[in-house]
Amino acid sequence: VQLQASGGGLVQAGGSLRLSCAASGRTFNSYPLGWFRQAPGKERGVVAAISRSGVNTYYTNSVKGRFTISRDNAKNMVYLQMDSLKAEDTAVYYCAAVRSPGSDILYTRGSSYDYWGQGTLVTVSS
C-alpha cells in the first residue's frame, strides 16, 4: 500500500483545512487508518483514527470537537477536516494504515501501523 497525503498549507488561527490521503491497493477497505502529526522538537503522535468500516473513530483530546476523520472506501481516500485551527496544531501530518485482517477496530499507537505517507505540512499562524 502506498499513501499520499496532501492538503497542507498556511492558514490563520481559527481557519480550516482539509487533509486528504490517497491510497493504492485493492484491499484499502480492510485497513484501519490514522492521522498522526509531528511538531518541531516533539514526538509523532496520533491525531485521529478510524476503523475499516468508518463506524469507529478516535480523536486525541486536543482536537476533539474541531477535527473530523472520515474515509471513502470506494475512492481509496481518507480525510481529516480541521476546523478552528490553533497555532499548536502546526505540524507535519501523516496518514497511516494498518495491515490488519481483524475486526472493525482502530489503532492509536504509531507502532501498530504498517504503512505511512510522506507527510504534509500544516502551519497555523496566530
Side-chain angles (χ1 to χ4, degrees), residues 6-20 35 47 66-70 78-86 89-93 120-125:
S6 62
L10 175 63
V11 63
Q12 288 189 335
S16 297
L17 279 177
R18 188 194 196 202
L19 303 184
S20 299
W35 284 98
V47 176
R66 300 189 298 121
F67 290 11
T68 303
I69 188 172
S70 62
V78 60
Y79 306 99
L80 186 67
Q81 177 67 41
M82 305 186 296
D83 299 318
S84 302
L85 282 161
K86 304 176 180 180
D89 294 318
T90 294
V92 177
Y93 284 72
T120 185
L121 177 62
V122 172
T123 304
V124 184
S125 62

Side-chain angles (χ1 to χ4, degrees), residues 54-115:
V55 170
N56 301 307
T57 58
Y58 165 88
Y59 299 94
T60 195
N61 285 339
S62 62
V63 308
K64 283 181 181 177
R66 300 189 298 121
F67 290 11
T68 303
I69 188 172
S70 62
R71 65 189 295 165
D72 186 336
N73 287 339
K75 296 182 179 179
N76 282 14
M77 297 290 293
V78 60
Y79 306 99
L80 186 67
Q81 177 67 41
M82 305 186 296
D83 299 318
S84 302
L85 282 161
K86 304 176 180 180
E88 51 263 43
D89 294 318
T90 294
V92 177
Y93 284 72
Y94 300 88
C95 57
V98 179
R99 185 180 62 241
S100 169
S103 58
D104 196 29
I105 61 176
L106 51 81
Y107 297 80
T108 60
R109 290 187 174 184
S111 58
S112 299
Y113 285 76
D114 301 293
Y115 307 105

